[in-house]
Amino acid sequence: MAVDNIRHKYQSAGHDHLFTFWSSLSNLERDSLTRQLENLDVERVNRIYKKAIATEKESANPEPIEPLPVGACESVVNDPANEKKWRSEGLKAIARGEVGVLLMAGGQGTRLGSSAPKGCYDIGLPSHKSLFQYQAERIARLQVVAEKECSKPAGSVIIPWYVMTSGPTRRETESFFTNNNFFGLDSKNVIFFEQGTLPCLTAEGKIMLESTTRVAVAPDGNGGLYAATRTPLSESDSSTVLDDLTRRGILYVHAYCVDNCLVKVADPVFLGYCISKQADCAAKVVPKTSPSESVGVVARRGDKFSVVEYSEISKEQAELRNSKTGELAFNAANIANHFYTTSYLKSIESFEDDLAFHIARKKIPTIDLKTGEAVKPSKPNGMKLELFVFDVFPFTKRFAVLEVARNEEFSPLKNAPGTGADDPDTSRRDLLAQHKRFLERAGAQVKDGAEIELSPRVSYDGEGLESVKGKTFSRSGYVENIEELDALF
């Protein structure tokens, strides 16, 4: 597009100030700025800003918040019969090649003291495997389990893995996978794509400049997942995640965040539950640890399913209990673990303009438009706009919720080492405690003090450990195959 046309477009949209320094720029600098502006949908930015501001004003009179209706949430915790049935249904879908996985992995390990992508982080296990490796090996093991239990030829079951990175993490994430030979997975079945960004805006909705030649941008939140599935995979590949899902015949998608070391990737129980419910979209939840736990909950806002932040629930609501069960009424803690049909993912574009982005007011380095000097503000001077992955819930016609045990499925890595909660030490502790339960459920004894790490390739969820029955393990260690357990008696 010619520069004059771009400038006219931005002038019409109210953002002609982005050309303030045009006359002083070199040809290379002009080309760089032009490319940014050409790739930016300025009308969409204006729509998002207006919707976000209007929704923020409406939040002063929010719709009533109510707990999930009776029957809206089922649980695997006390219902092994249903769990077995759902697992079988999910494994069949996996064996038919109908299941894919979306991983939200755009964040860096900044809070952990690392600039690397969070999925590269080693939580201190005996094996020193990264989060990425653990999840890759769970996929590999589940493919084998589906082949064996559904009588499929070895190597025939594939669960494609779509890894969403961000601008700062994409190159390092791809290199990490390449340097580690994709952790044993076929590289053709690991597809990288990138989370989008949005310009930072002033309080009046004007796009901010980071420098005289560059627009200030920020990631568009984990809800950017949806637009990212429609964006070309790379400059050299114009196909999209949605194209690839369609080409492979994927009907069902499991999506999750990289920082949960206990995540059951492509969990057949969750998949089977959602398929049996004919859900378009679903959420996996865990019970809250206490009324005051700072976590969002899946609930009803008005007549629609939604995630309600803990700050939106009063103390009285948080402490309210079900008169029959004694459980907290607002008990379904959201863990960013979701199910979608592919057709639902495709439909999101049709209502995306109705989704309200959330405003985060921040201190944003910028340029003084009068002097051209850099400004490092001491207080918030602008806003970043984010969409959350659960913002689509209210638009879902057939929504489902499944409660699972926290100690089996949720141990997030959020905080720096030594924090004492949601940090590398608690992640390590929770994963090794789970492996101890796997062995004990299979009939073994593990003596106090013995820490045994089981490779995900040995067992996905405690299966395949029949040979340990009656054995007592007194030594710590890491095992990559079942035979290595013999050294830990």
Side-chain angles (χ1 to χ4, degrees):
M1 189 185 295
V3 173
D4 287 345
N5 291 339
I6 295 174
R7 184 157 190 170
H8 177 72
K9 175 182 172 184
Y10 276 81
Q11 189 173 28
S12 299
H15 297 280
D16 190 47
H17 63 283
L18 297 175
F19 290 86
T20 297
F21 305 101
W22 185 261
S23 61
S24 64
L25 303 183
S26 68
N27 287 335
L28 281 176
E29 289 171 333
R30 289 179 178 183
D31 287 344
S32 174
L33 180 59
T34 300
R35 280 196 301 273
Q36 289 177 68
L37 299 180
E38 193 171 15
N39 291 327
L40 187 61
D41 186 345
V42 67
E43 288 89 358
R44 177 174 179 258
V45 172
N46 283 349
R47 291 197 304 271
I48 288 172
Y49 168 75
K50 289 176 183 176
K51 179 75 174 178
I53 291 293
T55 301
E56 188 177 57
K57 290 178 181 177
E58 290 168 9
S59 65
N61 298 295
E63 293 183 280
I65 296 168
E66 297 178 351
L68 289 172
V70 175
C73 177
E74 296 194 46
S75 175
V76 302
V77 178
N78 299 312
D79 199 344
N82 267 339
E83 182 177 2
K84 185 177 180 181
K85 178 183 67 176
W86 294 330
R87 180 178 181 275
S88 175
E89 183 79 19
L91 283 176
K92 289 174 183 176
I94 291 169
R96 291 192 297 264
E98 296 172 351
V99 173
V101 173
L102 284 173
L103 168 60
M104 292 172 276
Q108 294 170 294
T110 309
R111 287 189 190 176
L112 306 171
S114 169
S115 61
K118 210 171 190 182
C120 301
Y121 196 80
D122 166 13
I123 60 174
L125 293 166
S127 66
H128 293 290
K129 290 181 179 180
S130 64
L131 293 169
F132 278 141
Q133 182 166 357
Y134 243 79
Q135 292 160 27
E137 292 183 354
R138 284 188 181 127
I139 290 174
R141 172 63 185 173
L142 188 56
Q143 290 174 164
V144 171
V145 171
E147 287 165 359
K148 289 181 177 178
E149 296 199 23
C150 298
S151 302
K152 293 285 185 177
S156 66
V157 172
I158 294 169
I159 303 172
W161 198 16
Y162 301 88
V163 180
M164 185 175 79
T165 66
S166 62
T169 65
R170 180 163 188 167
R171 183 175 296 178
E172 193 168 354
T173 299
E174 291 187 355
S175 296
F176 191 70
F177 274 75
T178 300
N179 294 339
N180 287 281
N181 297 312
F182 289 78
F183 310 107
L185 298 176
D186 189 328
S187 61
K188 295 194 298 292
N189 301 320
V190 181
I191 300 92
F192 299 99
F193 66 114
E194 196 169 312
Q195 177 180 3
T197 60
L198 280 171
C200 300
L201 305 177
T202 65
E204 297 75 33
K206 300 297 183 183
I207 295 173
M208 300 176 73
L209 283 170
E210 177 185 285
S211 68
T212 57
T213 62
R214 186 165 186 80
V215 171
V217 298
D220 55 4
N222 57 17
L225 168 73
Y226 305 116
T229 62
R230 304 191 304 269
T231 304
L233 295 173
S234 66
E235 290 183 1
S236 60
D237 186 350
S238 62
S239 66
T240 67
V241 168
L242 291 181
D243 291 337
D244 198 77
L245 290 169
T246 301
R247 179 179 65 80
R248 293 174 183 265
I250 302 297
L251 302 180
Y252 312 110
V253 175
H254 178 222
Y256 68 97
C257 289
V258 74
D259 61 2
N260 178 12
C261 70
L262 294 182
V263 65
K264 293 182 179 178
V265 186
D267 177 17
V269 176
F270 187 37
L271 290 163
Y273 168 73
C274 296
I275 293 168
S276 70
K277 292 290 183 182
Q278 297 184 310
D280 299 316
C281 174
K284 187 182 280 193
V285 300
V286 297
K288 285 181 68 173
T289 55
S290 70
S292 60
E293 183 183 7
S294 300
V295 61
V297 295
V298 180
R300 298 276 283 187
R301 195 189 297 273
D303 62 349
K304 296 177 179 178
F305 289 97
S306 183
V307 170
V308 179
E309 297 296 344
Y310 63 91
S311 57
E312 300 178 86
I313 298 175
S314 69
K315 185 174 184 292
E316 292 73 24
Q317 286 175 312
E319 294 177 350
L320 186 66
R321 292 186 180 272
N322 184 301
S323 59
K324 293 182 179 179
T325 64
E327 293 181 341
L328 293 172
F330 292 92
N331 198 42
N334 178 50
I335 60 173
N337 195 314
H338 304 144
F339 164 93
Y340 311 93
T341 62
T342 300
S343 60
Y344 180 77
L345 286 175
K346 291 178 178 178
S347 76
I348 290 174
E349 185 176 14
S350 67
F351 60 79
E352 200 164 48
D353 279 350
D354 294 325
L355 299 174
F357 280 68
H358 306 267
I359 297 172
R361 290 177 172 81
K362 300 286 187 179
K363 292 180 285 188
I364 301 168
T366 186
I367 287 291
D368 187 311
L369 292 177
K370 293 180 180 178
T371 65
E373 294 180 356
V375 177
K376 292 187 177 180
S378 58
K379 59 183 180 180
N381 64 324
M383 60 178 70
K384 297 179 181 181
L385 297 168
E386 296 179 316
L387 196 66
F388 299 150
V389 70
F390 52 73
D391 285 334
V392 301
F393 289 1
F395 297 85
T396 308
K397 293 179 181 177
R398 295 187 299 274
F399 189 74
V401 184
L402 182 66
E403 181 190 79
V404 297
R406 182 184 289 251
N407 68 336
E408 295 291 355
E409 302 210 30
F410 187 54
S411 181
L413 180 59
K414 303 287 185 186
N415 300 319
T419 305
D422 298 341
D423 67 7
D425 292 333
T426 59
S427 292
R428 179 186 189 277
R429 176 202 70 198
D430 292 345
L431 190 56
L432 292 177
Q434 183 184 63
H435 292 183
K436 180 180 180 180
R437 290 194 298 274
F438 284 173
L439 292 167
E440 290 176 340
R441 284 202 294 264
Q445 273 191 308
V446 181
K447 290 193 172 180
D448 290 344
E451 293 185 330
I452 299 175
E453 180 189 352
L454 301 171
S455 166
R457 290 182 175 274
V458 171
S459 183
Y460 174 88
D461 188 29
E463 81 293 332
L465 299 174
E466 295 80 11
S467 63
V468 306
K469 187 175 182 179
K471 295 180 179 179
T472 298
F473 297 100
S474 57
R475 300 174 63 187
S476 298
Y478 163 68
V479 297
E480 189 64 44
N481 58 67
I482 196 73
E483 290 78 16
E484 292 177 2
L485 279 167
D486 290 341
L488 302 180
F489 289 164

